[in-house]
Amino acid sequence: MEPAVLGGKLASGLVAPLVKKLFVTGGPGAGLVDRPVRLTRLVSFRGERRHLGEAEVRKLAGRLVGASLDSPGEPPFPTDEADAVADALTARLLALGDLDMDDVQAVRLGHRELAGRLRAGARRGDDGLSADARYFLDSATEWACLHILEFFTRRSTFVARTLVEQTRGQAELIAKVDELITRVPRPDARDTAFERRYLPYVAERHNHLTIYGLDLRDSPDRWPLEVAYLSLEATDDGGPGPDTVPREGAPARTGRVPADAALDKEDRVLLRGDAGSGKTTLVQWLAVTAAREGTRVPYVLPLRTLIRTGPLPAPAAFLGAVGCPLTPPDGWAERVLTAGRALVLVDGLDEIPAADRHATRDWLRGLVHAYPGNRWLLTTRPTAVRADWLARERFGELSLAPMGRAEVATFVHRWHEAARAPEYEQRLLDSLRTKRDLSRLVTNPLMCGLICALHRERRGYLPTGRKELYEAALTMLLARRDRERGMGALDGPELGEEAQLELLQRIAYALVLSGRQEMTLETAEGIVERALPALGPAPGQGGAAAVLRALLLRSGLLRRPAEGVLDFVHRTFQDYLAARYAVEEGHLGVLAARAEDTEWEDVVRMAVAHARPRERVSVLRELLGKDDPRLTLLSLACLEHAAALDPAVRAQVEERAAELIPPRTAEAARELAGAGPLVLELLPGPEGLSAQEALGVTVTASVLGGEEPDGALAVLRRFRDHPDLDVRRQLAGTWHRFGAEEYAAEVLDHLDRTDLFLACESPAQLAALSGMRPWPRLRVTGPHRAEEMAAAVAEPSAVTELTLADDPLLTDLAALRRFTALTRLAYYRCPHARGLDRLAGLPLTELVLGSDTDPSGLPSLASLTLLSLVPELPGADLTEALPTDAPLRFLYLGEECTASTGLRGLGHWSTLHTLSLGALTTELTAEDWREVAVLPDLTRLYLDAAILREVPASVGRMPELPGVEELMVYELEGTEHLAALAARLPGVHRVTLMNRPGHSFPLSGFRPLFPGAEVGLSER
């Protein structure tokens, strides 16, 4: 009973006077004396002024209980418990005298909590009471406590005491707030209002990326950050030096982390990355993300801008130094940094002179020590400062990793989506996959964006010969990008674009000649020193060492992968520049002589691009003169780069290459693949090809799939809609050479399933099934449980044919019942498979059991029309082992199959029209052949030639079978005698002979044996 309900039964006029008697009247003032006034001094049954004893309190409680029972309506509990309830209520009221609190504290508790205290302090409990009585007792206690608190609030001393308590509480709260403000300054209302303007400003200002150095008519130079940003990985460079003590609580360093999550694990990071690797884009992304989410206050501080404005700024000048038009409240930046709420992003350490870098480190060190608890990111190119440059400041070091294939595909997709040019996306991806020099080029967002823009600019075609592409990229990297980003002069010599090219191409040519990918700094310095006199006085200022440092720092083409060595960031630039130098120096003969080395392919092609028309003729004729198919194909690839060429030479190259591409046979296709990945660029699409040529192209690409999977996949996906069955079989059968999921999505899921099997071997291939449209015909090889196979197929009801092989984990066949439409089942070398009888409910019409399988359970499959068996059958008669009710039309019995049964009982299946006997190990008796002779519909007889060679007596016992019209003898070596067989088949009019692999023979020796029949040979 709730107190409010009880209140309806007991009028307040009755309860209030009774409760009032429990307390003495009058009392002290606000209770400011040394002995505070507690409830024990207020109750009327304690202390010196008491006028109630325990008996009187018992009488008051009895009146309350009695009034409740006498009220109209159903009594709240049995009347015989009235005394016990009154005693319990008395005990709870008397507990008021034991509470160590005053009336103000009691009111703060509330009536329910006060009732709980009384219930806990009562000397007499409610044990033995009924549930209704206990419920009433609790409700009555709460109702009494309501009136007790009401009585307290009306006492004259309560208001005074409450005011005193509030005053004391406020004073304590103020002291605590003052202490909190002293320890953690909180932004005032002006700070909050300013940040509401500043954070959206940062998000908007940095939400766009500009590609500097491009002049394109149809492509904008600014892109939304969501398009330009790609979550790259960063690699751990080893962290602080050995003399550095790790920060307490710092997480263990791992090898690779998402770059945008680097500051989640380390609050101080020095991030290195090559030109165009995405350092500035990452800075912008972190700033925009923090501003939008409100997690931290971002400061984007490009060092090239800060240096131009004078001394490096203090926090108060951060915004003004970077041109932010908003004016913050005085001291705002310091308050943000002091509170540890800042994200400080310092970009481009490599973009300021070396002398200023030391000052920058001092400036950064002072900020980090003055304002701990914030997050700091500093970006630079790899060679700008040494490895442990900020180790003492406990900055962890990371390097941006090159883009992988999946990241390139994602970037290309986003770029074309933002450019609203989806029609060019797939064509570009195919080019990037098949053209190796391009795929080596797109390892960072800058180069990927450049190629996307140039490809769209030319309506889906990359610049002819790609020479324009390299020239545009080099101009952007060597000159325009830094200039248009507003970078001032750096320390060291000023090198123009042509001077940089001259030095870089000499280094590239030296690398190519040596057959290496990297050289020592000492060797490179020697090359630069020998070249400086030809470049004039300006570049030579500071010497070869200074010039080489400038190339490493600013060119964007060289890097220092290890101490004391350098290499080219992109191999394709090395080949391009080496070819440029070889042409300038007249070394085309050297290139042609090295063309047989696959490492020189791209150098030769780029040399043809740089060469003059007469020089191109010389190179191509020398290549053709070696009569090497690979060099012929290399000549064909060079035509792409030869804008001007003698028509006769062009025709000669195309004529010679036409003999190789497209391949017309599988053998020619495999030979063509031997020329290497270069072939992938030259293979045509399906348009205009015959079915045989299309098959040859897909065979070539399939063979190259293991060596160059990306390029091969790009070729194969062009044929995924081809209608020819052999082409589709080739596409389905080469799955194992590629990533299971990607090939399934790119090729397999698009194939026409008609008459096509899909073979799954690995767990990855089996898992990829669920992501494709249903495959009615499946072949699964390897150790897979039946439950796993059934679960991997998204629509088991769509599978009509299933072949299983080499599966020791296949045990209970009952799991295959999920394939409710299964009409054909075959399994080989599955020694533990049991339970054929559990498949009786399926619409099976064809069953094939290979070697090492268990045939038990066959009699239950009454719907079979085709049955192929190899294992030995149990029993002495075929009717004991095979389904007698099945309308069999085709039956194959092989090897040990008839060891116990022979052909006894075969005549039972009068519906049989084809009998195929394999390499039986037991002789056939006259009784066996009589079973064959009584089959009324038998028109086809297939025999393994091993019967003729190993058990010739079996044929000698054969009676005439006039009903047999077609005969097939397979596994023939050519020495077998078929005369006896021919004599017993007078009605045969078609004979097919199949050779055993590795054996061949003419038909002339067999045709006379079957004078009235058509005799053919099916070669294997």
Side-chain angles (χ1 to χ4, degrees), residues 310-532:
L312 291 170
F318 277 178
L319 302 192
V322 296
C324 176
L326 304 178
T327 303
D330 290 340
W332 169 75
E334 287 85 351
R335 288 191 291 274
V336 170
L337 287 161
T338 301
R341 298 194 298 125
L343 173 63
V344 185
L345 305 166
V346 183
D347 187 31
L349 180 64
D350 57 287
E351 298 175 354
I352 61 175
D356 292 323
R357 291 174 202 155
H358 298 290
T360 299
R361 179 170 58 181
D362 293 339
W363 168 73
L364 193 59
R365 179 188 293 131
L367 290 173
V368 168
H369 291 307
Y371 302 106
N374 297 285
R375 292 185 179 175
W376 310 80
L377 176 71
L378 176 63
T379 72
T380 181
R381 291 191 187 184
T383 56
V385 293
R386 66 176 187 272
D388 58 349
W389 198 70
L390 279 173
R392 293 189 180 278
E393 284 66 46
R394 295 186 174 89
F395 271 73
E397 290 203 10
L398 297 173
S399 292
L400 282 176
M403 292 169 65
R405 178 165 49 87
E407 292 161 333
V408 170
T410 300
F411 185 98
V412 171
H413 171 70
R414 290 180 182 176
W415 195 99
H416 285 83
E417 190 176 55
R420 298 179 182 176
E423 65 274 17
Y424 301 129
E425 176 185 340
Q426 192 57 55
R427 195 183 304 177
L428 176 58
L429 285 175
D430 287 346
S431 295
L432 293 176
R433 287 170 174 170
T434 57
K435 301 180 187 297
R436 289 172 299 156
D437 53 344
L438 281 182
S439 66
R440 288 197 293 257
L441 199 62
V442 290
T443 56
N444 63 53
L446 175 66
M447 297 307 300
C448 201
L450 167 66
I451 290 176
C452 286
L454 288 172
H455 185 260
R456 180 183 182 237
E457 179 78 5
R458 288 155 176 80
R459 300 293 188 269
Y461 295 93
L462 289 172
T464 303
R466 279 166 275 166
K467 184 169 176 285
E468 279 184 62
L469 174 63
Y470 296 124
E471 289 174 347
L474 287 170
T475 298
M476 178 181 64
L477 290 172
L478 298 180
R480 295 190 54 184
R481 188 163 181 261
D482 282 353
R483 184 173 63 248
E484 294 177 17
R485 291 170 75 197
M487 287 183 55
L490 298 180
D491 56 308
E494 283 290 328
L495 297 174
E497 181 180 350
E498 284 301 321
Q500 293 182 73
L501 283 173
E502 180 64 27
L503 297 173
L504 289 167
Q505 68 188 22
R506 291 182 182 227
I507 294 173
Y509 191 55
L511 281 169
V512 169
L513 283 177
S514 67
R516 299 184 179 183
Q517 301 300 313
E518 60 184 33
M519 67 170 54
T520 65
L521 290 176
E522 183 180 357
T523 302
E525 191 174 317
I527 294 172
V528 172
E529 186 172 5
R530 289 189 295 273
L532 284 180

Side-chain angles (χ1 to χ4, degrees), residues 858-859 861-862 864-865 867 869 873 877-891 893 902-915 931-932 934-938:
L858 269 175
L861 306 180
L864 295 178
T865 60
L867 183 57
L869 302 170
L873 297 174
D877 192 288
L878 290 177
T879 56
E880 298 177 22
L882 306 184
T884 54
D885 296 333
L888 291 178
R889 296 179 59 79
F890 180 102
L891 178 62
L893 301 172
L903 298 183
R904 291 181 293 278
L906 180 65
H908 171 81
W909 287 274
S910 59
T911 55
L912 205 63
H913 69 69
T914 301
L915 176 63
E931 294 286 347
V932 176
V934 300
L935 294 172
D937 293 337
L938 186 68

Side-chain angles (χ1 to χ4, degrees), residues 201-222:
Y201 164 80
V202 171
E204 175 60 27
R205 177 177 178 179
H206 296 288
N207 196 32
H208 298 278
L209 183 74
T210 299
I211 300 179
Y212 294 97
L214 288 181
D215 286 327
L216 302 176
R217 296 184 302 275
D218 298 327
S219 297
D221 60 355
R222 283 167 57 88

